[in-house]
Coordinates of all heavy atoms in Angstrom, one line a residue:
K8 N 145.6 55.1 18.9 CA 145.7 53.6 18.9 C 147.1 53.2 18.7 O 147.6 52.2 19.3 CB 144.8 53.1 17.7 CG 145.0 51.6 17.6 CD 143.9 50.9 16.9 CE 144.0 49.4 17.0 NZ 145.4 48.9 16.8
I9 N 147.8 53.8 17.8 CA 149.2 53.4 17.5 C 150.1 53.7 18.8 O 150.9 52.9 19.2 CB 149.8 54.2 16.3 CG1 149.1 53.6 15.1 CG2 151.3 54.0 16.2 CD1 149.3 54.5 13.8
E10 N 149.8 54.8 19.4 CA 150.6 55.1 20.7 C 150.3 54.0 21.7 O 151.2 53.6 22.5 CB 150.2 56.5 21.2 CG 150.9 57.6 20.4 CD 150.5 59.0 20.7 OE1 149.4 59.2 21.3 OE2 151.2 60.0 20.3
Q11 N 149.1 53.6 21.8 CA 148.7 52.5 22.7 C 149.5 51.2 22.3 O 150.0 50.5 23.2 CB 147.2 52.3 22.8 CG 146.8 51.3 23.8 CD 147.2 51.8 25.2 OE1 146.8 52.9 25.6 NE2 147.9 50.9 26.0
D12 N 149.5 50.9 21.0 CA 150.2 49.7 20.6 C 151.7 49.8 20.9 O 152.3 48.8 21.2 CB 150.0 49.6 19.0 CG 148.6 49.2 18.6 OD1 147.9 48.7 19.5 OD2 148.3 49.3 17.4
I13 N 152.2 51.0 20.7 CA 153.7 51.2 21.1 C 153.9 50.8 22.6 O 154.8 50.1 22.9 CB 154.1 52.6 20.8 CG1 154.1 52.8 19.2 CG2 155.5 52.9 21.3 CD1 154.4 54.3 18.8
Q14 N 153.0 51.4 23.4 CA 153.1 51.1 24.8 C 153.0 49.6 25.1 O 153.7 49.1 26.0 CB 152.1 51.9 25.6 CG 152.4 53.4 25.7 CD 151.5 54.1 26.7 OE1 150.9 53.5 27.5 NE2 151.5 55.4 26.6
D15 N 152.0 49.0 24.5 CA 151.8 47.6 24.7 C 153.0 46.7 24.3 O 153.4 45.8 25.1 CB 150.6 47.1 24.0 CG 149.3 47.7 24.6 OD1 149.3 48.3 25.7 OD2 148.2 47.6 23.9
S16 N 153.6 47.0 23.1 CA 154.7 46.3 22.7 C 155.9 46.5 23.6 O 156.7 45.5 23.9 CB 155.1 46.7 21.3 OG 154.0 46.4 20.4
C17 N 156.1 47.7 24.0 CA 157.2 48.0 25.0 C 157.0 47.2 26.3 O 157.9 46.6 26.8 CB 157.3 49.5 25.2 SG 158.0 50.4 23.9
A18 N 155.8 47.2 26.8 CA 155.5 46.5 28.0 C 155.8 45.1 27.9 O 156.4 44.5 28.9 CB 154.0 46.7 28.4
L19 N 155.5 44.5 26.8 CA 155.7 43.1 26.6 C 157.2 42.7 26.7 O 157.5 41.6 27.2 CB 155.3 42.8 25.1 CG 154.8 41.4 24.7 CD1 153.6 41.1 25.6 CD2 154.4 41.4 23.3
V20 N 158.1 43.6 26.3 CA 159.5 43.3 26.4 C 160.3 44.2 27.4 O 161.5 44.3 27.3 CB 160.2 43.3 25.0 CG1 159.7 42.2 24.1 CG2 160.0 44.7 24.3
H21 N 159.5 44.8 28.3 CA 160.1 45.6 29.4 C 161.0 46.7 28.8 O 162.1 46.9 29.3 CB 160.8 44.7 30.4 CG 160.1 43.6 30.8 ND1 159.0 43.7 31.7 CD2 160.1 42.2 30.5 CE1 158.4 42.5 31.9 NE2 159.1 41.6 31.2
R22 N 160.4 47.4 27.8 CA 161.2 48.6 27.3 C 160.4 49.8 27.7 O 159.2 49.8 27.9 CB 161.3 48.6 25.8 CG 162.2 47.4 25.3 CD 162.3 47.6 23.8 NE 163.0 48.8 23.4 CZ 163.0 49.3 22.2 NH1 162.4 48.7 21.2 NH2 163.6 50.5 21.9
N23 N 161.1 51.0 27.8 CA 160.5 52.2 28.1 C 160.0 52.8 26.8 O 160.8 53.0 25.8 CB 161.6 53.2 28.7 CG 161.0 54.5 29.1 OD1 159.9 54.9 28.6 ND2 161.7 55.2 30.0
P24 N 158.7 53.1 26.7 CA 158.2 53.7 25.4 C 158.9 55.0 25.0 O 158.8 55.3 23.8 CB 156.7 54.0 25.8 CG 156.4 53.2 27.0 CD 157.7 53.0 27.7
K25 N 159.5 55.6 25.9 CA 160.3 56.9 25.5 C 161.4 56.6 24.6 O 161.9 57.4 23.9 CB 160.8 57.6 26.8 CG 159.7 58.2 27.6 CD 160.2 59.4 28.4 CE 159.1 60.2 29.1 NZ 158.8 59.5 30.4
E26 N 161.9 55.3 24.6 CA 163.0 54.9 23.7 C 162.5 54.8 22.2 O 163.3 54.6 21.3 CB 163.5 53.5 24.0 CG 164.2 53.4 25.4 CD 164.5 52.0 25.7 OE1 164.4 51.1 24.9 OE2 164.7 51.7 26.9

Side-chain angles (χ1 to χ4, degrees):
K8 172 159 193 319
I9 290 166
E10 284 171 343
Q11 186 61 53
D12 289 344
I13 292 171
Q14 287 193 14
D15 292 347
S16 298
C17 283
L19 210 58
V20 291
H21 310 291
R22 294 186 62 196
N23 183 341
K25 290 207 175 81
E26 294 170 16

